[in-house]
Amino acid sequence: MNRILYPFILYLGLLCTGAIPAAAQRITIEEALHTAGANLEYEVNKAELKKANALTKTAKGLTNTGIFAENEDLQPGNAKGVLKIGVSQGLEWPGVYKARQQYFKEQARYYEMNTAAITVQLKKDVRKAYYQLWYLENRHQLYRRLDSMYSGLLQAATLRYQKGEAAGIEKIAAEQRLKELQAQEKEVQHEMRIQQQQLMLLLNTEQLLLPVDAPLQKLLPAAGENGQLHPLLALEQQTVNIAASNIRVQKNAVKPELSGRFFSQALYGMKNPYSGFSVSLGIPIFGAGANRQKIVAAQAEMEARQKNLEWQAQKMEHQQQQALAETAQADALLQYYENSGLNQSEEIIQAATIGYKGGEISFMELTQYLNQATDMQKNYLDALNRYNQAVIQYLYFTHQ
């Protein structure tokens, strides 16, 4: 891009740059990607992981221990009866504790794996915002240079009109074109602010940011793929694992429950006390149908998660191929501008300028040729931006 834009800029003598806020800080794409580690989504995920780890430690917790007092064996001749004080404890089927602990571990594993999914998504979002901002700044600078050029043409046309050397149409045309450029410049400035806000949000910073002060570069996709399962698909696979562990929880939950009691009158100082214990087994007889449906629901949840994993994998493969095709399509147009289009724009500018100075073409013809040439510059930036955005999308699917 240097060999094309810079001669064009030097030839026109348009060295003024766009108005950049003094407080804006310029960073490279590598610095932006590194700074994205401060994104608050990581902190949210860290809190979720902390919660999941804490729940794992509760998996083997027992229900509340009961303390009871009861008086029984009352008789007409013995109204005092037998007072018993003791403790009771309920227990779930032993397999429930192990299954529940595994279920919580799988949930914690999900948030551990989610870190990689957040990272690959942030890479894509940061690259898209950064390169879009870089493209917009290049367009803004181009509009500023065109503004300077047409301001000079307007002054020349006004002077010629005042001297009676030209009709007023030259002045009107230059003035109209200048106002149009100024409106386009303001529109690009507004779009730049939007992208800056997006980049600040992604990097979790209040510092106004700008890309490097250089022509927009062509982003080259890295060769090959990461070789591992895409973090998003790995995360979907983990939801299948969670659903499978929930089936084990539900299957163990329908098993009998155990409970026991122990009492002794010695607890309150009786001599020759009564003591004893009882053990009972709770069998889900009347709720058996409902419990079976819980298992069916858990199995259906796992099936749904498995199908969603297959769908996501299929969709991602299709989107990756689409991104690759869009990259090739955008690159084909880009090569036209790189190989001939931009060189022709320089030749048009040179020939039109010489022709106007030599009186071979009119002012109106000059502006037409200049518009044609500068439109090529804008179209080149548009094509380069489309190409870069397609590459960024492809990099996401290859998680690079």
Side-chain angles (χ1 to χ4, degrees):
M1 183 170 176
N2 293 353
R3 65 182 178 83
I4 298 171
L5 277 182
Y6 284 165
F8 170 58
I9 297 166
L10 292 173
Y11 176 78
L12 295 175
L14 307 175
L15 301 179
C16 63
T17 61
I20 301 301
Q25 176 184 346
R26 292 193 179 275
I27 60 174
T28 65
I29 181 59
E30 290 77 15
E31 291 170 336
L33 291 172
H34 177 74
T35 308
N39 187 282
L40 286 179
E41 196 169 357
Y42 285 112
E43 296 301 318
V44 173
N45 189 70
K46 188 184 297 184
E48 293 287 0
L49 177 58
K50 182 179 179 181
K51 171 187 171 184
N53 285 330
L55 284 173
T56 302
K57 296 177 182 179
T58 69
K60 295 185 178 181
L62 302 178
T63 58
N64 291 342
T65 299
I67 299 177
F68 67 88
E70 63 182 38
N71 200 14
E72 58 182 16
D73 296 334
L74 298 173
Q75 297 174 317
N78 181 16
K80 186 176 181 180
V82 180
L83 177 63
K84 300 177 182 179
I85 296 178
V87 294
S88 64
Q89 180 66 57
L91 297 172
E92 296 179 278
W93 187 260
V96 171
Y97 299 104
K98 183 177 180 181
R100 185 185 295 134
Q101 184 181 49
Q102 185 61 35
Y103 175 69
F104 287 143
K105 283 183 178 179
E106 295 294 351
Q107 287 186 323
R109 177 62 178 155
Y110 176 91
Y111 293 108
E112 290 175 355
M113 298 172 65
N114 193 38
T115 302
I118 292 173
T119 298
V120 72
Q121 181 65 43
L122 268 178
K123 279 184 177 181
K124 184 182 80 167
D125 292 343
V126 169
R127 282 171 175 153
K128 286 178 71 70
Y130 185 93
Y131 275 87
Q132 183 69 13
L133 180 59
W134 197 357
Y135 153 74
L136 289 171
E137 187 180 14
N138 272 224
R139 283 208 65 162
H140 177 257
Q141 291 173 347
L142 180 59
Y143 283 134
R144 291 282 294 177
R145 294 169 189 134
L146 293 176
D147 182 292
S148 177
M149 179 179 68
Y150 277 92
S151 293
L153 290 177
L154 176 59
Q155 291 177 358
T158 301
L159 184 60
R160 292 183 62 189
Y161 172 71
Q162 291 173 346
K163 291 182 178 181
E165 298 177 359
I169 188 64
E170 293 185 359
K171 174 177 175 296
I172 295 173
E175 190 173 32
Q176 183 275 332
R177 179 58 174 156
L178 181 60
K179 289 181 178 179
E180 181 184 16
L181 287 169
Q182 290 172 344
Q184 291 172 332
E185 181 185 343
K186 289 180 180 179
E187 181 183 12
V188 170
Q189 285 178 326
H190 178 69
E191 292 177 3
M192 286 180 63
R193 294 295 179 268
I194 294 175
Q195 290 302 317
Q196 283 179 310
Q197 291 296 326
Q198 175 68 6
L199 195 58
M200 290 164 64
L201 174 64
L202 292 169
L203 305 188
N204 188 26
T205 178
E206 296 182 359
Q207 173 66 52
L208 199 63
L209 300 172
L210 282 171
V212 291
D213 188 12
L216 179 62
Q217 297 298 310
K218 186 176 182 179
L219 181 60
L220 299 177
E225 297 187 17
N226 185 281
Q228 298 179 348
L229 187 65
H230 192 281
L232 181 61
L233 295 181
L235 210 57
E236 289 296 335
Q237 176 61 61
Q238 186 58 22
T239 65
V240 176
N241 297 341
I242 293 172
S245 66
N246 185 43
I247 293 176
R248 291 189 289 272
V249 171
Q250 297 304 324
K251 285 183 175 180
N252 280 277
V254 302
K255 300 289 180 64
E257 294 181 352
L258 304 172
S259 62
R261 299 189 344 145
F262 169 79
F263 72 90
S264 177
Q265 291 178 325
L267 293 172
Y268 54 94
M270 288 289 291
K271 295 180 180 180
N272 192 26
Y274 285 104
S275 297
F277 68 91
S278 67
V279 178
S280 61
L281 190 66
I283 302 175
I285 297 176
F286 300 105
N291 290 334
R292 282 195 298 270
Q293 290 307 308
K294 290 180 181 179
I295 297 175
V296 171
Q299 291 171 334
E301 172 66 15
M302 190 185 78
E303 182 180 351
R305 287 292 148 195
Q306 182 64 46
K307 293 300 181 182
N308 187 61
L309 171 61
E310 295 172 8
W311 160 242
Q312 291 294 341
Q314 185 183 55
K315 183 171 69 171
M316 187 167 290
E317 175 65 24
H318 172 75
Q319 290 175 334
Q320 180 178 338
Q321 295 303 319
Q322 184 179 5
L324 190 61
E326 289 175 357
T327 300
Q329 181 181 14
D331 192 37
L333 178 60
L334 193 57
Q335 288 183 23
Y336 158 72
Y337 288 110
E338 291 173 340
N339 296 334
S340 60
L342 290 177
N343 289 329
Q344 290 176 354
S345 71
E346 292 184 46
E347 294 172 358
I348 291 173
I349 291 171
Q350 294 175 0
T353 304
I354 294 173
Y356 177 69
K357 289 181 178 179
E360 298 176 4
I361 62 174
S362 67
F363 177 86
M364 297 301 297
E365 290 174 318
L366 171 64
T367 58
Q368 289 176 356
Y369 286 128
L370 291 180
N371 288 341
Q372 180 183 357
T374 55
D375 281 346
M376 287 186 182
Q377 297 285 346
K378 289 185 289 186
N379 292 339
Y380 167 72
L381 284 176
D382 291 344
L384 180 55
N385 184 54
R386 285 194 299 272
Y387 169 83
N388 281 341
Q389 294 298 326
V391 170
I392 290 170
Q393 192 72 5
Y394 175 76
L395 291 175
Y396 168 73
F397 292 119
T398 56
H399 46 112
Q400 299 180 57

